[in-house]
Amino acid sequence: MAEKVLMKGNEAIAEAAILAGCRHYFGYLITPQTEIAAYMAKKMPKIGGCFLQAESEVAAINMVYGVASTGKRVMTSSSSPGISLKSEGLSYLAGSDLPALVVNVQRGGPGLGGIQPSQSDYFQATKGGGHGDFKMIVLAPSSVQEMASLTVKGFDLADKYRMTSMILADGTMGQMMEPVSLEEAAVADYDKSWAVTGTKCEREHNIINSLSLVPEELEQLNFKRYEKYKTIEENEVMYEEYMMEDADICVSAFGIAARVAKNAIAMARAEGIKVGMIRPITLWPFPVKAFKAAAEKVNSFISVELSMGQMIEDIRASVEYNKPVTLCNRAGGMIPSPEQVLEVIREANKGGNK
Amino acid sequence: MATTQILIAGFGGQGVLFAGKFLAYKGLIADKQVSWLPSYGPEMRGGTANCSVIISDTPVGSPIVGTPDVLVAMNLPSLKKYENDVAKGGIIIVDSALINEKVERDDVTTYYVPATKMANDEGFSTLANMILMGKLMKVCEEIGFDGTEAAINKVVPPKKANLIEVNLKALKTGYDFE
């Protein structure tokens, strides 16, 4: 293991991206993710990479499209309103089957909203994030170490499946410092024979395009893409189970909410309440099977979110509406306290055994 | 199985975040689990700034410090805002050169250190923050003085290595203050 250093979550993402072989970053500054761009601005020129502060988010995501077309690892980052601006580009990336990494360090919304942490872009991230039928692989780090490791993972999955990976973090994850150990990532040899790299008159032209005017053909492209999504749903789900062995109540939370929930679970366990947690690490593909299995054992679920309740819909669907799912939330840049979560756990516990 | 939750609060520019980073590095060097979370946004530009630091023997859950074991208050608004949040039996360290009021609670231990005046007198006027950290290391046994030099070496950027010595001096000044 490399020596542990203290780093902000945003900086850990930037350094991990570089270690994963990313040499192209395009972005536009916005709180609370600006440290990613700042880090790239400092580091990229020194290692022969490209940092470019675009004139807008729209420009940045289209620069990502350009580099992605050449098969090189490329990323952009922003925060909530900036991701909305990028959504057209996200759809084009999907329509052209291009690998890229996009980071969203969420802030309170809607609209310009505020700058404090939020998780209210869950729907936007997990249900597509632009027009048309498509998915992004959505990774939700819950520590600075995961900000780094999931960045590496995100690049790998993007290359493996030729699609966009999104890191869905929040202001707290971006701004907090924790010890992190960073190592050069081994980059697997992915097939990039589709990339536009110049034919040297030795092969057919590769064409990167999302326009397809024949509906029969466009339908087939959609069918094929959804076959790929099915494979991902089978193979790439990641989640953490915490104290679930004997649990009567299952808390679910990701990112900063999971950190708060762990405190609450420790407090509830001290009172003798049997409570555990499923922490989705991939928000898409969602750990449907894990929740379905948990529904066989627990009496009820609690979804802790920094939103008006978005992930809760996926939990309810996963447990097929067979068990009650309660929302414990704050919104607009506020964060639930462990005491608030504990109170909801206590209430759930009053429901008694099934 | 100790967990120490520390909140440092003051004006932007007083070195609140730097002081917190020093403590976090100190914890890291002592092989503890640590987290550091700053306030960010408009309040940093001339308003109040604060920073949550957690140093623990077990993995840190939420990095947000709602009930600090130790509050370091570097201005009056911060003391007023957070005084009642401090855990029963906790510690409040006050820069008494900038805060004329006394802590009203009697279920916490309060230390008054005229850090800003001491820093001015000693000729390192920007290091009141580190004088207060010195005092914190003295009165909070979970933190202690060990590893101070290594932590300062980590937290002072290489380009400013000439400031390592004066930081250590400020820490010692605070540590020795009775």
Side-chain angles (χ1 to χ4, degrees):
Chain A
M1 286 284 268
E3 190 199 359
K4 284 200 168 179
V5 291
L6 278 182
M7 262 183 152
K8 279 193 170 192
N10 284 335
E11 296 165 341
I13 283 180
E15 182 60 30
I18 289 168
L19 290 170
C22 174
R23 290 294 178 275
H24 296 84
Y25 173 93
F26 307 102
Y28 189 83
L29 309 189
I30 179 170
T31 303
Q33 65 80 50
T34 297
E35 289 84 1
I36 302 178
Y39 196 94
M40 290 302 197
K42 215 186 224 175
K43 200 86 183 267
M44 280 298 196
K46 288 181 186 159
I47 54 171
C50 171
F51 163 84
L52 202 152
Q53 183 178 328
E55 68 270 33
S56 71
E57 285 85 351
V58 179
I61 193 72
N62 283 293
M63 291 171 186
V64 168
Y65 184 100
V67 171
S69 302
T70 71
K72 299 284 184 200
R73 287 195 161 176
V74 56
M75 72 178 285
T76 186
S77 60
S78 192
S79 179
S80 308
I83 296 293
S84 292
L85 285 166
K86 289 180 200 290
S87 65
E88 179 196 53
L90 294 176
S91 176
Y92 279 52
L93 284 165
S96 304
D97 297 304
L98 290 173
L101 186 83
V102 176
V103 180
N104 181 1
V105 184
Q106 299 167 92
R107 53 189 255 179
L112 263 181
I115 59 170
Q116 296 304 319
S118 171
Q119 298 179 326
S120 52
D121 303 345
Y122 179 93
F123 284 152
Q124 187 193 39
T126 58
K127 310 301 175 195
H131 62 279
D133 281 315
F134 77 95
K135 298 282 187 189
M136 294 184 289
I137 292 166
V138 183
L139 304 160
S142 189
S143 66
V144 174
Q145 186 68 53
E146 276 190 357
M147 290 287 256
S149 61
L150 292 179
T151 294
V152 176
K153 182 86 183 168
F155 275 113
D156 273 326
L157 292 172
D159 274 345
K160 187 172 173 188
Y161 295 106
R162 280 182 68 180
M163 62 188 286
T164 299
S165 293
M166 174 176 276
I167 304 287
L168 192 68
D170 65 79
T172 321
M173 283 295 133
Q175 294 297 323
M176 73 184 286
M177 281 204 296
E178 280 185 315
V180 56
S181 154
L182 292 159
E183 278 171 355
E184 194 90 37
V187 180
D189 205 9
Y190 296 101
D191 171 36
K192 297 275 174 85
S193 60
W194 48 266
V196 284
T197 52
T199 65
K200 300 189 182 82
C201 298
E202 286 166 3
R203 62 163 167 83
E204 289 294 301
H205 288 281
N206 285 336
I207 296 170
I208 305 289
N209 185 19
S210 69
L211 181 69
S212 178
L213 289 172
V214 182
E216 289 79 3
E217 287 173 16
L218 184 53
E219 185 186 43
Q220 286 308 314
L221 286 174
N222 275 288
F223 284 168
K224 210 178 137 199
R225 206 166 284 129
Y226 269 69
E227 283 299 313
K228 175 171 82 182
Y229 294 162
K230 220 171 143 187
T231 310
I232 296 169
E233 283 171 338
E234 287 297 320
N235 298 322
E236 307 296 353
V237 170
M238 290 192 284
Y239 59 92
E240 178 197 3
E241 281 200 350
Y242 180 71
M243 295 192 164
M244 280 299 291
E245 296 79 13
D246 62 343
D248 294 327
I249 301 164
C250 174
V251 172
S252 181
F254 64 95
I256 182 64
R259 303 281 295 247
V260 175
K262 272 194 182 174
N263 286 25
I265 289 167
M267 291 152 86
R269 284 268 170 187
E271 295 178 8
I273 302 174
K274 288 179 180 167
V275 54
M277 175 163 68
I278 298 178
R279 174 173 75 89
I281 298 171
T282 50
L283 298 178
W284 190 88
F286 194 71
V288 175
K289 285 178 191 163
F291 279 100
K292 206 176 166 184
E296 302 286 322
K297 297 189 293 182
V298 306
N299 301 324
S300 65
F301 292 81
I302 299 167
S303 186
V304 184
E305 302 185 53
L306 277 63
S307 74
M308 292 309 294
Q310 300 193 9
M311 182 173 72
I312 191 170
E313 294 191 3
D314 283 334
I315 300 170
R316 284 185 173 138
S318 299
V319 304
E320 295 169 358
Y321 301 87
N322 283 325
K323 288 285 158 73
V325 190
T326 311
L327 180 65
C328 174
N329 71 320
R330 294 297 295 270
M334 299 301 291
I335 300 174
S337 65
E339 290 75 16
Q340 183 190 345
V341 182
L342 176 64
E343 201 45 54
V344 179
I345 293 172
R346 281 178 182 152
E347 277 304 312
N349 193 48
K350 279 183 198 161
N353 292 322
K354 56 188 160 183
Chain B
M1 217 180 74
T3 297
T4 310
Q5 307 204 40
I6 303 159
L7 187 67
I8 310 168
F11 291 119
Q14 281 182 312
V16 163
L17 303 186
F18 180 86
K21 207 170 156 182
F22 161 72
L23 289 182
Y25 256 114
K26 209 169 154 308
L28 176 63
I29 288 162
D31 229 7
K32 305 270 188 184
Q33 309 281 336
V34 301
S35 71
W36 174 97
L37 179 69
S39 58
Y40 64 91
E43 69 266 33
M44 283 168 72
R45 299 179 179 92
T48 58
N50 71 70
C51 146
S52 299
V53 177
I54 301 177
I55 300 172
S56 180
D57 292 328
T58 51
V60 177
S62 171
I64 301 151
V65 171
T67 313
D69 301 305
V70 184
L71 169 67
V72 179
M74 294 186 73
N75 66 10
L76 185 61
S78 298
L79 180 63
K80 289 285 155 209
K81 189 171 176 189
Y82 298 115
E83 177 181 341
N84 289 324
D85 294 339
V86 176
K88 231 177 170 181
I91 294 170
I92 301 181
I93 301 173
V94 173
D95 186 338
S96 55
L98 298 178
I99 302 171
N100 291 322
E101 294 184 26
K102 295 287 176 195
V103 169
E104 285 170 18
R105 288 177 59 177
D106 52 13
D107 59 349
V108 296
T109 311
T110 306
Y111 299 93
Y112 297 95
V113 184
T116 297
K117 183 175 182 303
M118 289 163 70
N120 283 329
D121 291 350
E122 294 280 346
F124 37 76
S125 60
T126 57
L127 292 178
N129 59 338
M130 300 314 271
I131 291 177
L132 294 168
M133 289 306 105
K135 186 68 187 175
L136 188 156
M137 296 191 296
K138 180 70 166 283
V139 299
C140 182
E141 59 189 58
E142 287 85 1
I143 308 297
F145 200 83
D146 287 352
T148 292
E149 202 169 334
I152 280 291
N153 279 322
K154 284 277 185 195
V155 81
V156 174
K159 276 185 194 160
K160 294 185 181 172
N162 57 319
L163 297 177
I164 287 173
E165 205 168 312
V166 67
N167 269 284
L168 285 170
K169 202 174 158 202
L171 286 164
K172 197 82 181 53
T173 305
Y175 192 83
D176 293 337
F177 176 80
E178 293 298 337

